[in-house]
């Protein structure tokens, strides 16, 4: 016991430098973001006068002028990413459930066929996808983004949902069958409520990948008022090129939605993602 | 037991998945393969079959492609040799049981990952700025090191992009590693330490082997992510890749050929080369990791 205690204490002393390393990491990580916040309150004169320290007075006006432009892009992104998430959540939970719980010919072959294509980089299909979307008359419409985002995100999402449904104990389902539940009832009243954590994870991976996707909107969207945020920020950057305060205020505003979502649900996101994909 | 409905039902239920996937994913993948054997300039011109000419030209005549490939590989190596070990170190520290504010640190390290590429690009434009930038001014000047022309001099462009990558990706990878560390029963480490193993021995012989599945996951994501790098360098140094194209990645090159010059066939060939590279590297990496388990 005594020796064990001594070990604990030694460990404790060892940990002090580690904590310092952690702090250093933290500062390096956060400093650029703090710089953005500091700059967002500056006028141009203040910005050129002192590049990286805060300076009074604070210019809150930057935020209102940035918001006037940025809100449009945020609304667009919420709509586009929101519809994508809903569609993916529905399709992937049904497909994942079927792949996990049904036995039917070619099941494994079908599933493996889908999964191997996860390696295919999205950019590979950029050219033919554009031609396809153009032929369908979807260029410069939300449909161009949503259709491609949904089909692109479905693979990982179905994979995650399938591994989750597979991990649920058989007794849960047996109990429901014994009570006379039909398959669709088991799905809606038993499986989906149980899978809520994994659905949340799916929603968040989809949110990250669609919210920050730049290259596909760049190819398909041309109207300013239809741009999603990631692309709108690019437009915004060239519109406000010389107005640093407003530019950075816009960046701060644009970061808030995702930060809020992840502040609330991060632990959930990580555990779902890793338990689903790593154990598979 | 369930009659005929049971036989068709599964296919019916996966059909939305199927259809969406087939139209917007599988079809373009195949279409792209076909297109890569054609010469097509412009969106409405008829394509002309030229066999492997696109691929041959890529490998033998296209210096810019080789350049983009080298740049991207440079970044991938940096990301595997610098970012992944750094993330592992960070995870080991974050995992230490006495740490306070663990949740806070986790969130802190995650923030770069959800910051939009455009914003990251602009921020790092300021970080790498020659005269007033953070690194030259705050880190190098106090050490008496002359200003580094990060984005203006070809040899410094990729190191700058790697630093940016480290900033953006170390945190999320550390979080993945942390999950792996949490799944290792503490008794194993305790036992090893009681047997007199040093911290390093415990790490090398107990922790690391048990982390293998997570390591495989992180490396695969790192390889795929590296070869898909687009937004950050594009914002940082422009779509042409800055001085002497030193920052041009394969994805940027594909984009310029395909959507600036509308050479769709050629762009598809670039895309397929990229896909093959990623596939081969991922498989090699998985095999290597498995090989380590054998000994």
């Amino acid at each position: 016991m005594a020796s064990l205690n001594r070990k604990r204490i030694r460990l404790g002393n060892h940990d002090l430098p580690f904590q310092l390393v952690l702090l250093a990491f933290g500062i390096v990580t956060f400093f650029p973001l703090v710089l953005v916040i500091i700059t967002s309150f500056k006028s141009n004169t203040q910005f050129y006068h002192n590049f990286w320290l805060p300076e009074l007075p604070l210019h809150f006006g930057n935020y209102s002028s940035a918001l006037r432009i940025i809100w449009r892009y945020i609304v667009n992104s919420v709509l586009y990413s929101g519809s994508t998430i809903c569609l993916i959540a529905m399709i992937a939970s049904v497909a994942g459930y079927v792949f996990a719980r049904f036995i039917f010919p070619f099941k494994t072959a079908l599933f493996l066929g889908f999964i191997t294509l996860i390696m295919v980089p999205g950019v590979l299909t950029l050219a033919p996808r554009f031609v396809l979307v153009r032929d369908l008359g979807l260029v410069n419409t939300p449909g161009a983004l949503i259709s491609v985002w949904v089909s692109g995100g479905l693979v990982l999402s179905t994979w995650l949902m399938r591994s989750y449904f597979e991990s649920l104990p058989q007794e849960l389902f047996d109990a429901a069958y014994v009570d006379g539940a039909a398959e669709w009832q088991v799905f809606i009243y038993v499986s989906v409520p149980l899978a809520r954590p994994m659905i949340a994870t799916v929603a968040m991976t989809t949110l990250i990948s669609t919210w920050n996707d730049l290259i596909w909107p760049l190819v398909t969207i041309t109207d300013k008022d239809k741009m999603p945020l990631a692309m709108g920020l690019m437009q915004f950057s060239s519109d406000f090129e010389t107005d640093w305060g407003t530019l950075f205020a816009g960046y701060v505003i644009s970061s808030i939605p995702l930060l809020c979502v992840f502040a609330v649900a991060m632990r959930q996101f990580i555990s779902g993602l890793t338990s689903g994909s790593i154990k598979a | 037991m369930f009659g005929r409905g049971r036989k068709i039902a599964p296919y019916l239920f996966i059909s939305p998945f199927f259809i969406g996937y087939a139209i917007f994913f599988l079809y373009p993948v195949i279409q792209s393969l076909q297109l890569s054997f054609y010469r097509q300039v412009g969106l409405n011109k008829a394509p002309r079959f030229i066999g492997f000419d696109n691929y041959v030209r890529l490998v033998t005549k296209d210096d810019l492609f080789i350049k983009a490939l080298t740049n991207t590989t440079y970044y991938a190596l940096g990301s595997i040799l610098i970012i992944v070990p750094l993330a592992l170190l960070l995870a080991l520290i974050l995992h230490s049981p006495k740490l306070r504010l663990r949740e806070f640190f986790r969130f802190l390290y995650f923030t770069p990952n959800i910051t939009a590429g455009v914003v990251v690009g602009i921020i790092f434009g300021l970080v790498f700025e020659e005269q007033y930038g953070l690194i030259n001014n705050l880190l190098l000047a106090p050490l008496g090191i002359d200003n580094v022309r990060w984005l203006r001099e070809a040899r410094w462009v990729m190191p700058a992009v790697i630093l940016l990558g480290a900033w953006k990706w170390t945190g999320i990878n550390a979080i993945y590693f942390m999950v792996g560390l949490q799944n290792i029963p503490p008794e194993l480490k305790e036992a090893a330490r009681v047997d007199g193993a040093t911290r390093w021995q415990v790490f090398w012989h107990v922790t690391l082997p048990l982390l293998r599945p997570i390591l495989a996951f992180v490396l695969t994501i790192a390889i795929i992510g590296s070869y898909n790098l687009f937004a950050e360098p594009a914002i940082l140094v422009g779509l042409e890749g800055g001085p002497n194209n030193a920052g041009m990645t394969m994805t940027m090159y594909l984009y310029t050929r395909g959507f600036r010059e509308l050479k769709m066939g050629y762009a598809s060939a670039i895309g397929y080369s990229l896909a093959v590279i990623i596939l081969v590297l991922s498989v090699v990496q998985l095999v290597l990791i498995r090989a380590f388990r054998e000994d």
Side-chain angles (χ1 to χ4, degrees), chain A:
Chain A
M1 200 61 211
S3 77
L4 227 145
N5 271 342
R6 211 166 50 232
K7 236 166 222 163
R8 286 255 163 79
I9 291 162
R10 220 180 65 209
L11 262 176
N13 289 340
H14 270 283
D15 282 350
L16 184 67
F18 285 161
Q19 302 265 10
L20 290 177
V21 173
L22 209 56
L23 200 66
F25 261 114
I27 291 171
V28 170
T29 305
F30 219 59
F31 199 74
L33 298 176
V34 171
L35 185 75
V36 173
I37 298 172
I38 291 172
T39 310
S40 72
F41 288 107
K42 284 182 181 173
S43 70
N44 256 359
T45 339
Q46 288 170 325
F47 176 75
Y48 287 117
H49 177 241
N50 191 338
F51 193 64
W52 30 269
L53 285 181
E55 224 173 64
L56 290 171
L58 302 179
H59 291 262
F60 289 99
N62 290 342
Y63 276 82
S64 53
S65 36
L67 194 61
R68 257 201 299 279
I69 312 289
I70 280 284
W71 74 269
R72 183 76 212 220
Y73 302 133
I74 294 184
V75 170
N76 286 346
S77 262
V78 168
L79 288 178
Y80 302 160
S81 291
S83 340
T84 308
I85 290 170
C86 291
L87 282 168
I88 285 192
M90 284 191 286
I91 302 175
S93 34
V94 174
Y97 184 75
V98 172
F99 274 124
R101 308 225 12 107
F102 283 49
I103 297 163
F104 53 93
F106 306 117
K107 179 173 111 159
T108 318
L110 276 178
F111 190 72
L112 284 180
F114 295 135
I115 290 308
T116 42
L117 280 173
I118 216 173
M119 296 281 186
V120 173
V123 70
L124 160 67
T125 53
L126 208 57
R129 246 191 301 160
F130 175 73
V131 176
L132 173 73
V133 161
R134 187 199 55 174
D135 291 346
L136 293 173
L138 292 175
V139 167
N140 208 17
T141 68
L145 301 177
I146 296 170
S147 57
V148 164
W149 283 346
V150 167
S151 52
L154 267 181
V155 186
L156 180 67
S157 308
T158 305
W159 188 4
L160 289 172
M161 292 308 300
R162 188 197 72 141
S163 11
Y164 196 81
F165 284 129
E166 270 180 346
S167 71
L168 294 176
Q170 178 65 34
E171 294 81 47
L172 278 172
F173 298 97
D174 288 341
Y177 291 134
V178 167
D179 288 345
E183 192 67 55
W184 66 269
Q185 287 170 318
V186 175
F187 175 70
I188 292 188
Y189 297 113
V190 180
S191 310
V192 169
L194 282 173
R196 225 178 297 153
M198 190 48 93
I199 293 175
T201 303
V202 164
M204 279 191 287
T205 40
T206 311
L207 182 63
I208 282 197
S209 62
T210 58
W211 193 271
N212 285 336
D213 185 13
L214 178 64
I215 191 163
W216 183 238
L218 212 53
V219 170
T220 50
I221 303 291
T222 47
D223 281 4
K224 259 192 192 184
D225 58 350
K226 288 181 185 161
M227 290 177 181
L229 185 62
M231 187 189 179
L233 280 173
M234 218 170 167
Q235 181 67 41
F236 179 74
S237 306
S238 60
D239 289 351
F240 285 82
E241 206 168 15
T242 47
D243 192 350
W244 291 93
T246 311
L247 191 60
F248 279 64
Y251 292 162
V252 173
I253 296 170
S254 74
S255 311
I256 290 172
L258 274 198
L259 281 181
C260 289
V261 172
F262 278 86
V264 174
M266 178 146 116
R267 181 203 296 252
Q268 173 52 51
F269 164 67
I270 300 300
S271 68
L273 188 63
T274 42
S275 77
S277 54
I278 290 170
K279 284 176 192 161

Side-chain angles (χ1 to χ4, degrees), chain A residues 7-8 10-12 14-15 18-19 21-22 25-26 28-33 35-36 51-52 91 94-95 98-99 101-102 104-105 110 113-114 117 119-121 123-132 134 136 147-148 151-152 154-155 158 183 208 212 214-215 218-219 230 233-234 237 244 248 251 254 258-259 262-263 266-267 269-270 273-274 277-278, chain B residues 6 10-11 13-14 16-18 20-21 23-29 31-32 43-44 86 89-90 93-94 96 98-99 103 105-116 118-119 122-123 126-127 132-134 137-138 167 170 172 175-176 179 190 193-194 199 213-214 217 220 224 228 230-231 235 251 254-255 259 264 268 271-272 274-275 278-279 282:
Chain A
K7 236 166 222 163
R8 286 255 163 79
R10 220 180 65 209
L11 262 176
H14 270 283
D15 282 350
F18 285 161
Q19 302 265 10
V21 173
L22 209 56
F25 261 114
V28 170
T29 305
F30 219 59
F31 199 74
L33 298 176
L35 185 75
V36 173
F51 193 64
W52 30 269
I91 302 175
V94 174
V98 172
F99 274 124
R101 308 225 12 107
F102 283 49
F104 53 93
L110 276 178
F114 295 135
L117 280 173
M119 296 281 186
V120 173
V123 70
L124 160 67
T125 53
L126 208 57
R129 246 191 301 160
F130 175 73
V131 176
L132 173 73
R134 187 199 55 174
L136 293 173
S147 57
V148 164
S151 52
L154 267 181
V155 186
T158 305
E183 192 67 55
I208 282 197
N212 285 336
L214 178 64
I215 191 163
L218 212 53
V219 170
L233 280 173
M234 218 170 167
S237 306
W244 291 93
F248 279 64
Y251 292 162
S254 74
L258 274 198
L259 281 181
F262 278 86
M266 178 146 116
R267 181 203 296 252
F269 164 67
I270 300 300
L273 188 63
T274 42
S277 54
I278 290 170
Chain B
R6 178 91 189 183
Y11 299 103
F13 285 128
I14 53 171
F17 171 72
F18 235 140
Y21 181 83
I23 296 179
F24 291 102
F25 199 87
L26 200 59
Y27 170 74
V29 166
Q31 178 80 4
S32 180
L43 286 168
N44 298 310
L86 212 58
L89 175 70
L90 189 59
I93 298 170
L94 274 169
S96 101
K98 295 203 170 170
L99 181 70
E103 289 296 313
F105 276 118
R106 253 161 59 141
F107 183 67
L108 191 70
Y109 296 135
F110 195 65
T111 45
N113 205 252
I114 49 176
T115 310
V118 177
V119 179
I122 301 269
I123 298 176
L126 298 181
V127 169
Y132 309 100
L134 275 181
N137 241 316
L138 284 188
W167 178 79
T170 305
I172 180 81
I175 290 168
Y176 290 140
V179 179
E190 290 274 330
R193 288 194 67 88
V194 168
R199 241 169 196 261
I214 300 265
F217 175 77
T220 309
I224 295 177
N228 275 311
F230 177 77
I235 305 287
T251 323
L254 190 156
Y255 180 85
F259 291 89
M264 292 294 184
S268 297
Y272 256 90
L274 186 58
I278 293 179
L279 200 67
S282 304

Side-chain angles (χ1 to χ4, degrees), chain B residues 77-92:
Chain B
L77 281 176
S79 117
I80 289 167
L81 297 178
I82 296 173
I83 301 175
V84 173
L86 212 58
L88 184 55
L89 175 70
L90 189 59
L92 287 168

